[in-house]
Amino acid sequence: MGIARTRLRYVARRLAQAVPILLGIAVMNFLLLQLAPGDAATVLAGEAGSATPEYMAMLRQRFGLDQPLSLQLLYYVKQVLVLDLGFSFRHNMSVLALILERLGPTLLLMGTTLVLSVGFGMLLGVAAARRVGSWRDSLISILAIVSYATPLFWVGLMLIVVFSLELDWLPATGMESVAMFYEGWERIVDVARHLVLPAVTLSLFYMALYTRLMRAAVLEQSGLDYVTTARAKGLTDRRITVRHVVRNAVLPVVTMAGIQTGNLLGGSVVVESVFGWPGLGLLAFQSLFARDFNLLLGIFFVSACLVVLVNLLVDLSYTFLDPRIEAR
Amino acid sequence: MRDFGRRFARNRGAVIGLVILGAVLGLGLAAPVVFPGDPFQMAGKPFERPLGAFALGTDMMGRDVLAGLAHGARTSLLIGLVATVIAVVIATVLGGCAGYYGGRIDDVLMRFTEFFQTIPSFLFAIVLVAILSPRIENIIFAIAAVSWPPITRLVRGEFMAMRNREFVQACVVLGMRDRAIIFTEILPNALSPILVTGSLMVATAILIESALAFLGLGDPNVMSWGFMIGSGRTFLRTAWWLCAIPGLAILLTVLAINLVGEGLNDALNPRLKHL
């Protein structure tokens, strides 16, 4: 039995488990469409009013709106599963193309946030746990508990006031200075400068969460026998922490980071609307104002797919972090 | 009970939290008396600075910020509390049945719960409120709809652990009905973790409500802190305090509830280690 083979079988099984979830989300999207005011065709056309009667008739026929509800559901789910999410008249683009266009910036924001929050969370958590009860521990704990209670959008606005309006250090909106036509390295620097405030805003809450988790995990691990053994062997405190304790304490943090993907997407709606970051979240915000429910539901579906995918990746990463967890 | 009070008071943060929470609650309760009338009404000149004619100034429409804050406190606490109670009731019924009966019922209910845990919750709340129209009942429903899964799993765990204890088996032998065993025997014994998690959920619910209102999905007839920040953000350059003040109110309230929740945890489960 090769490990690769077991792992492959595990991936296949997890993918198979994801199918009913995606089906369920498609069904729920259909039910939500039924709840929306007006018949589904008007919603699918984005309530734009600019849809031609021919297009409406075509929509009704394609989605089988003249059929009984159960058949309608079947049609709808079929369309969604081949990722035909309809057309947005507001943006004059198919919903899928629109979402794919906006996915990049969101993934950039989320990825940066993940690295920042997990990195600093682990660092602060270890720093607090190594000096339990000291002023450093108290300071970090207070910082974490305050960050944990702060609304994201408010942090974003206050950072704009301080770092953009007052100090004029960093840009407040958008992803790049489009009018400057930067290229190559200069463009990367420009995007990075735009990324700082949104990423810090989104990171703060999660950093607090991981700090608390990491602190608790390190404290728990420090009392275990293998740490005593390591100390008896004459290893330095620093080496025990870095080589042994952190490695074991990181598992709950990874678990939590995986669980938080969906929330991270939700948080990016708020943060992107504050900073005008041109990602999925801003698109969702704009679709709210345009009452483009079909686009909103499309974003919802793609986001859910993303969460399922990330959960799978996290589960796989366990088997690398801790070989004892069998990829069954 | 005296023991409970002593253990709670030993946690300094929890006592501070309780004081802040009491102040916010008092502000909310006093709102209709101290600031009668519609908080959306113009009260004076627009953009009055704080600590002038009005304690906290006025916004771009000349509305009294302090009046908005007081009425917003009502909204936040009400929505947070009602949404949490609904979520806890759903969680108790579903989690209780899953944990008590086990087997097939447990499987089905847990698949159902996992499904709702997978979908991105804040986006789900946005979709629900947008489609059902932003009214206070719908906002409460949406928040409850995204809050119940984690607590359901908690209740299930508690019930599973207690299912085979002697006192439950004794009830079964006595011929008590399942419903009576679930609600009058097991539930009271599982109440403290539910209470702790529930109290922390109120804080999350308030954060969700404020974010929804900030995005323009608040009830247009009800004053809320998120709405105040959302409407003030256009004037960030000239009047940053219009955003800063209600944000501080949210921060303090949520912080207070979290502190009280942790204090409850210490007092109710003295042997339990918490995060």
Side-chain angles (χ1 to χ4, degrees):
Chain A
M1 266 306 259
I3 290 178
R5 189 121 145 253
T6 337
R7 203 162 270 164
L8 207 69
R9 192 128 40 89
Y10 177 66
V11 174
R13 215 190 42 165
R14 286 301 316 268
L15 278 175
Q17 280 171 352
V19 172
I21 294 180
L22 296 182
L23 265 175
I25 293 163
V27 171
M28 200 161 67
N29 264 8
F30 176 79
L31 295 177
L32 286 166
L33 267 179
Q34 302 297 314
L35 280 176
D39 93 315
T42 45
V43 181
L44 287 170
E47 289 192 5
S50 51
T52 57
E54 289 81 18
Y55 180 73
M56 297 286 285
M58 197 271 280
L59 267 182
R60 287 208 171 84
Q61 204 231 335
R62 202 172 79 187
F63 285 89
L65 294 181
D66 40 0
Q67 309 277 332
L69 214 60
S70 52
L71 274 181
Q72 283 185 36
L73 173 65
L74 230 57
Y75 277 116
Y76 181 82
V77 170
K78 201 194 89 205
Q79 294 289 343
V80 168
L81 288 189
V82 296
L83 284 177
D84 178 358
L85 300 172
F87 193 83
S88 169
F89 275 89
R90 296 276 164 173
H91 297 270
N92 205 17
M93 260 171 113
S94 85
V95 168
L96 185 65
L98 203 56
I99 289 177
L100 289 180
E101 187 188 277
R102 299 293 193 93
L103 197 57
T106 294
L107 290 181
L108 177 64
L109 178 63
M110 280 175 61
T112 313
T113 302
L114 193 70
V115 172
L116 277 181
S117 57
V118 171
F120 280 99
M122 279 171 57
L123 224 65
L124 289 175
V126 172
R130 285 192 63 186
R131 298 267 187 284
V132 183
S134 70
W135 63 269
R136 189 168 81 184
D137 181 26
S138 311
L139 187 72
I140 291 174
S141 293
I142 290 174
L143 201 75
I145 206 166
V146 171
S147 311
Y148 198 69
T150 319
L152 284 179
F153 51 94
W154 186 72
V155 178
L157 291 172
M158 293 303 112
L159 287 180
I160 288 179
V161 169
V162 175
F163 292 101
S164 300
L165 301 180
E166 294 296 325
L167 297 173
D168 201 20
W169 285 354
L170 291 163
T173 56
M175 190 169 80
E176 51 185 323
S177 322
V178 182
M180 303 297 281
F181 297 106
Y182 284 132
E183 278 185 26
W185 182 244
E186 281 188 320
R187 185 167 174 217
I188 295 176
V189 172
D190 185 43
V191 171
R193 273 169 52 82
H194 281 82
L195 183 59
V196 174
L197 290 184
V200 167
T201 304
L202 193 53
S203 301
L204 216 58
F205 175 87
Y206 299 100
M207 194 187 73
L209 188 67
Y210 303 146
T211 300
R212 298 174 73 177
L213 263 180
M214 193 69 190
R215 179 177 178 276
V218 168
L219 283 181
E220 195 189 319
Q221 294 288 334
S222 303
L224 295 183
D225 287 343
Y226 74 90
V227 175
T228 317
T229 309
R231 189 162 290 134
K233 248 174 29 176
L235 294 187
T236 59
D237 243 16
R238 173 178 296 271
R239 198 172 166 79
I240 296 174
T241 308
V242 175
R243 289 290 300 263
H244 298 276
V245 173
V246 168
R247 231 167 134 184
N248 283 299
V250 85
L251 265 180
V253 176
V254 173
T255 311
M256 189 45 95
I259 293 174
Q260 293 298 331
T261 322
N263 292 339
L264 208 54
L265 272 164
S268 67
V269 178
V270 173
V271 171
E272 287 179 14
S273 350
V274 168
F275 290 98
W277 186 263
L280 272 188
L282 187 64
L283 190 64
F285 182 61
Q286 289 163 338
S287 72
L288 280 181
F289 274 89
R291 299 184 66 73
D292 194 342
F293 290 140
N294 187 47
L295 177 56
L296 188 61
L297 288 171
I299 296 171
F300 182 50
F301 182 72
V302 172
S303 306
C305 294
L306 213 61
V307 172
V308 171
L309 190 72
V310 171
N311 284 346
L312 180 68
L313 290 178
V314 169
D315 281 1
L316 283 180
S317 76
Y318 283 151
T319 60
F320 290 97
L321 275 175
D322 188 346
R324 283 172 307 178
I325 299 174
E326 283 263 313
R328 263 167 306 178
Chain B
M1 198 62 213
R2 265 205 20 231
D3 243 25
F4 169 83
R6 222 187 45 235
R7 277 199 298 264
F8 187 87
R10 207 184 296 153
N11 184 333
R12 211 164 0 129
V15 176
I16 298 174
L18 201 62
V19 171
I20 300 176
L21 193 61
V24 175
L25 196 68
L27 187 68
L29 288 177
V33 184
V34 185
F35 305 101
D38 189 355
F40 287 98
Q41 279 296 313
M42 212 167 120
K45 274 196 316 205
F47 293 117
E48 290 267 18
R49 280 180 163 270
L51 304 175
F54 294 89
L56 294 177
T58 59
D59 70 358
M60 52 279 157
M61 310 277 271
R63 294 178 289 223
D64 185 353
V65 173
L66 184 58
L69 218 54
H71 283 270
R74 278 174 93 78
T75 315
S76 286
L77 292 178
L78 181 80
I79 291 182
L81 214 62
V82 177
T84 302
V85 168
I86 295 174
V88 168
V89 169
I90 297 173
T92 307
V93 172
L94 294 185
C97 286
Y100 183 78
Y101 291 109
R104 249 283 176 39
I105 296 177
D106 182 38
D107 264 0
V108 172
L109 287 177
M110 280 304 109
R111 287 287 160 284
F112 186 67
T113 311
E114 272 164 27
F115 172 74
F116 277 93
Q117 269 195 310
T118 307
I119 55 183
S121 61
F122 185 62
L123 260 175
F124 186 40
I126 290 179
V127 169
L128 279 177
V129 176
I131 283 182
L132 295 173
S133 84
R135 283 212 315 270
I136 197 159
E137 334 50 295
N138 295 337
I139 295 168
I140 290 174
F141 169 71
I143 296 175
V146 300
S147 309
W148 64 269
I151 200 164
T152 302
R153 298 179 74 106
L154 175 95
V155 175
R156 168 180 174 263
E158 291 291 320
F159 271 64
M160 269 170 70
M162 245 169 277
R163 175 67 181 92
N164 292 318
R165 292 266 291 274
E166 284 87 351
F167 76 95
V168 177
Q169 284 175 343
C171 294
V172 175
V173 172
L174 281 173
M176 268 176 84
R177 286 207 269 158
D178 288 348
R179 199 190 303 168
I181 298 179
I182 289 176
F183 288 108
T184 63
E185 297 297 327
I186 303 183
L187 186 59
N189 283 297
L191 215 52
S192 53
I194 296 177
L195 214 62
V196 170
T197 315
S199 67
L200 295 175
M201 253 170 64
V202 176
T204 319
I206 289 177
L207 281 177
I208 299 177
E209 186 272 331
S210 70
L212 285 173
F214 173 75
L215 292 176
L217 289 174
D219 189 323
N221 301 313
V222 180
M223 183 53 86
S224 81
W225 294 338
F227 164 80
M228 290 169 78
I229 298 176
S231 63
R233 74 182 269 210
T234 332
F235 306 96
L236 211 51
R237 188 177 289 276
T238 47
W240 54 268
W241 56 87
L242 290 182
C243 288
I245 293 170
L248 276 177
I250 300 173
L251 169 58
L252 280 177
T253 310
V254 172
L255 185 66
I257 296 173
N258 282 339
L259 290 173
V260 170
E262 280 190 16
L264 278 181
N265 193 28
D266 288 353
L268 290 172
N269 316 314
R271 280 179 308 269
L272 259 184
K273 255 203 319 196
H274 63 277
L275 281 179

